[in-house]
Structures are given as C-alpha cells and as structure tokens.
C-alpha cells in the first residue's frame, strides 16, 4: 500500500510517498521565501506553488509507480495555497482512479512525530509558523488543552526576526543569535492553559529600537516563550496522567526547546521526544502517512473542498484504539 501525500497549506509545496510500514519512498519540497523584511503574502506564495508544483509532481510520478491512494492537506491554512494542493490531488485521483483522502494538517504533524520517534500516547506540543497548541488524545479525538490566543510561536519568531533585519525563517537566526546572550526581563503571558505572544514581540522590538543588543533580546525571547510552553505542557501532563511529550511542527527544530522540555520531563519521570528536523516543518510525507492511517476515510470529489479553519479537535480519530 503506497500513499502519495500533498502539502500546500502555506510556504511549502511538498509531495511525500510512504508505504504502510512507514518507509519513505519519495520526499520533495519547494519552499516559498518572502522578500527580506516581508511576511508570507498568500497570493504570492500561491503563485510560487503554481510555478513549482508541476516539477515536484512529475518527479514523484517518475520515481514511484503503482500509487494506491492520494491524500492532501485539506486545512487549516491559507486558502489560495490550499486550493493548489487540493486541485492537484483531485486531478491525480481522477486520472489514476485512486481514492482521495482529506487530511487535517495539524494532526499530520502529530502522526509523523509519533512515527519518527516511536512515542505512543504523548502530550503534543505542536508549535509551528501558523499554529501553537498543546494537544492530547482523549476519547476519540485529539483535544486541545491550551493554545495561543493571538499569533503562533513560529510567527512570533519570524516577526521579531524581521524587525531585527534577519531573513525568513526567523527561528534559526534567533536561535543562533541567542548564543551567549544575557537575561533581560520580558512580559510572560500564560492565561490558564493559553498563551499570548504579541505583547512579548512588541516589547522586544521596543527594546531593540532602544539599542538593546540583538543577542540579549534573542536569548531572553527564547527563554521566555519556551518557558511558557513548558509550563503549560507540564500542567497538561499532570492533568491527563500521560508520561510522554512530543514536540512537533517547525519550531521543533529548536535545540533549546528540546532541552528545556527534557529537563521538565526528567523531573516528572516522563519522557520528551522531538520530531527529527527533516520532518519538523511542513512536508508531504506527513500528509501521506496520515493518508495511510486514515485509509477508511475516502472522500468524494464534492467533499474535497478546502477548510481553512479546520480545527484539530473537529476530527474523529478512527485509527487509534
Ligand atoms: P512550519 O510552519 O511548521 O513549517 O514551521 C516554520 C516555523 O518554524 C517558522 O516560523 C520558523 O521560524 C520556525 N523555526 C524553524 N526553525 C526554528 C528554530 N531553530 N527555532 C525556533 N523556530 C524555528
Ligand atoms: Mg505546519
């Protein structure tokens, strides 16, 4: 059984092909990078995908024959970008007469993390450019225990980085710059189980304009936002009684977050796993793997419209016992 998965929720157009044992047979991405000082412009990202998707599709079909099923990111994401992946998926499904499966992008980040790290039933720290959620599987659904009230943590990194003159993506630049920085006090915004990042970014930008150096800002920003995430994750562990944590999504590439979460888990006799960097950011392989898990779903063409605000906890999970 081989599934071809298409990802196109935002900056990345990607195709992955995977078999039912989890062997990755193909994996290729093309990534839109906004001009210096700018964020992702949805129309320009979609235009970029239109220009580059054909090549990725051709390479995938050349490399792997006998695909059994096609899956695609049906949401959440930027509508212009989602449309491109959805259209290509529908076309391939009709042309090769293969079933079509619509995948929730956030859940695909969780399932690829579980596959690649071998953890079983974690509290998930899903932190990316577009989403920040603390999630756990309870009663047939991936429930959201806490989330951002405003922008996603990855977006917070990117906005701060842009304002300090760094290129996108901002996360790696801030991580590099933070080395050897010293602590300065910043707002710490946890409300119950929810988080907020915009005020912290604003304060950092203010400090930068007042000539506080980039190193101290980067260091303190990282320490603050990762402490917030870790605090909420610890409460989710206590509440659910689970003993595993999984960090997934683009921000999972952060070594500092990995270390902080591992320290918290050690004290509670829990274990923290981080998705390998290659599968941390958006990728088609995670959509393909979720297609394999959710084979029973098989949607009709008239059910394949994109869902830009599709929430993690709206999906009935039929593949977990
Ligand atoms: P995604 O939306 O899942 O593709 O993730 C992309 C986001 O991950 C962007 O906002 C990046 O800035 C962020 N990111 C990537 N590497 C790192 C890192 N080392 N530290 C913090 N954030 C990162
Ligand atoms: Mg993502």
């Amino acid at each position: 059984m081989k599934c071809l998965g298409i990802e196109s929720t935002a900056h990345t157009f990607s195709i992955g092909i995977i078999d039912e044992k989890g062997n990755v047979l193909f994996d290729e991405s093309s990534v839109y990078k906004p001009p210096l000082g700018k964020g992702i412009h949805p129309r320009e990202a979609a235009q970029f995908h239109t220009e580059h998707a054909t090549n990725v599709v051709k390479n995938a079909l050349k490399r792997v024959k006998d695909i059994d099923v096609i899956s695609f990111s049906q949401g959440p994401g930027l509508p212009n970008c989602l449309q491109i992946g959805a259209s290509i998926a529908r076309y391939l499904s009709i042309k090769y007469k293969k079933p079509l499966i619509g995948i929730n992008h956030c859940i695909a980040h969780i399932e690829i993390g579980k596959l690649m790290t071998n953890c079983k039933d974690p509290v998930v720290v899903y932190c990316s450019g577009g989403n920040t959620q603390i999630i756990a599987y309870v009663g047939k659904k991936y429930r959201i225990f806490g989330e951002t009230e405003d922008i996603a943590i990855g977006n917070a990194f990117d906005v701060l980085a842009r304002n300090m003159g760094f290129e996108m993506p901002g996360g790696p630049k801030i991580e590099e710059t933070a080395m050897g920085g010293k602590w300065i006090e910043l707002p710490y915004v946890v409300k119950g189980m929810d988080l907020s990042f915009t005020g912290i970014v604003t304060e950092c930008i203010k400090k930068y304009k007042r000539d506080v150096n980039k190193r101290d800002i980067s260091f303190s920003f990282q320490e603050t936002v990762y402490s917030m995430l870790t605090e909420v994750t610890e409460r989710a562990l206590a509440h659910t009684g689970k003993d595993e944590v999984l960090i997934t999504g683009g921000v999972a590439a952060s070594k500092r977050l990995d270390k902080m979460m591992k320290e918290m888990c050690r004290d509670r006799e829990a274990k923290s796993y981080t998705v390998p960097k290659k599968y941390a950011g958006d990728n088609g392989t995670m959509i393909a793997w979720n297609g394999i898990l959710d084979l029973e779903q098989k949607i009709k063409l008239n059910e394949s419209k994109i869902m830009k605000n599709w929430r993690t906890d709206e999906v009935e999970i039929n593949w977990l016992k």
Side-chain angles (χ1 to χ4, degrees):
M1 178 64 69
K2 292 178 209 156
C3 180
L4 179 151
I6 303 177
E7 159 60 29
S8 74
T9 52
H11 44 64
T12 299
F13 181 91
S14 175
I15 292 185
I17 303 174
I18 200 165
D19 69 14
E20 82 280 6
K21 296 207 175 76
N23 300 308
V24 180
L25 309 172
F26 178 85
D27 184 350
E28 191 177 310
S29 302
S30 118
V31 183
Y32 164 76
K33 204 169 168 181
L36 188 65
K38 297 249 167 67
I40 298 176
H41 189 298
R43 200 167 4 108
E44 281 165 22
Q47 183 58 35
F48 179 90
H49 295 332
T50 309
E51 285 161 20
H52 294 82
T54 328
N55 254 338
V56 184
V57 175
K58 268 193 202 153
N59 291 344
L61 297 177
K62 225 187 294 165
R63 190 81 65 78
V64 185
K65 308 286 174 214
D66 312 322
I67 307 259
D68 300 288
V69 55
I70 312 283
S71 63
F72 70 104
S73 262
Q74 199 169 2
L78 304 172
N80 308 36
C81 298
L82 283 169
Q83 287 297 4
I84 291 165
S87 302
I88 294 173
R90 287 180 204 120
Y91 169 76
L92 293 177
S93 162
I94 295 167
K95 180 167 159 70
Y96 296 104
K97 300 191 177 60
K98 299 297 171 194
L100 188 61
I101 300 184
I103 298 296
N104 179 293
H105 174 91
C106 312
I107 292 178
H109 271 293
I110 301 175
E111 291 297 350
I112 196 74
K114 284 165 68 182
L115 174 71
M116 295 294 169
T117 64
N118 244 327
C119 67
K120 298 289 177 254
D121 183 23
V123 166
V124 180
V125 182
Y126 168 37
C127 44
S128 70
N131 297 278
T132 304
Q133 296 177 338
I134 310 297
I135 304 162
Y137 180 73
V138 180
K140 284 249 157 227
K141 283 186 171 173
Y142 279 115
R143 317 254 170 199
I144 301 168
F145 283 75
E147 63 189 319
T148 179
E149 288 188 341
D150 41 56
I151 58 174
I153 186 168
N155 191 9
F157 270 96
D158 294 336
V159 174
L160 175 59
R162 274 208 302 278
N163 278 276
M164 298 198 299
F166 295 137
E167 271 181 33
M168 286 272 276
K173 287 276 172 233
I174 292 194
E175 179 162 43
E176 199 185 306
T177 311
M179 301 282 186
K182 65 175 193 312
W183 170 253
I184 44 177
E185 185 85 27
L186 292 174
Y188 181 97
V189 197
V190 174
K191 304 178 187 174
M193 288 293 283
D194 291 333
L195 311 159
S196 156
F197 299 103
T198 47
I200 308 173
V201 174
T202 306
E203 182 59 28
C204 285
I205 296 170
K206 257 195 222 157
K207 286 200 165 22
Y208 175 66
K209 288 184 177 154
R210 280 193 228 118
D211 286 339
V212 178
N213 72 60
K214 290 183 194 179
R215 201 177 35 174
D216 295 347
I217 293 174
S218 299
F219 173 80
S220 307
F221 178 76
Q222 269 200 159
E223 292 304 300
T224 304
V225 296
Y226 292 156
S227 302
M228 289 161 47
L229 267 188
T230 307
E231 179 196 325
V232 178
T233 306
E234 181 169 24
R235 252 198 312 278
L237 278 175
H239 180 69
T240 57
K242 296 188 194 284
D243 60 4
E244 293 176 323
V245 169
L246 169 67
I247 310 175
T248 192
V251 182
S254 164
K255 293 193 190 69
R256 182 63 188 124
L257 176 59
D258 175 74
K259 185 156 182 277
M260 206 185 273
M261 209 58 87
K262 282 201 164 77
E263 277 166 14
M264 179 275 284
C265 282
R266 199 181 315 121
D267 291 345
R268 305 186 52 86
E269 294 179 6
K271 197 157 178 217
S272 180
Y273 300 82
T274 297
V275 69
K277 197 168 172 178
K278 183 162 197 285
Y279 298 102
D282 293 348
N283 63 87
T285 301
M286 69 184 194
I287 305 303
W289 177 240
N290 208 156
I292 293 273
L293 294 174
D294 203 8
L295 276 179
E296 282 170 25
Q297 188 202 114
K298 295 190 185 99
I299 53 175
K300 300 194 182 72
L301 280 185
N302 65 2
E303 296 164 334
S304 69
K305 70 174 195 305
I306 58 155
M307 296 187 267
K308 68 182 168 72
N309 296 321
W310 196 12
R311 276 176 67 81
T312 311
D313 53 7
E314 284 170 352
V315 181
E316 188 90 22
I317 309 295
N318 294 313
W319 58 88
L320 293 178
K321 296 287 165 285

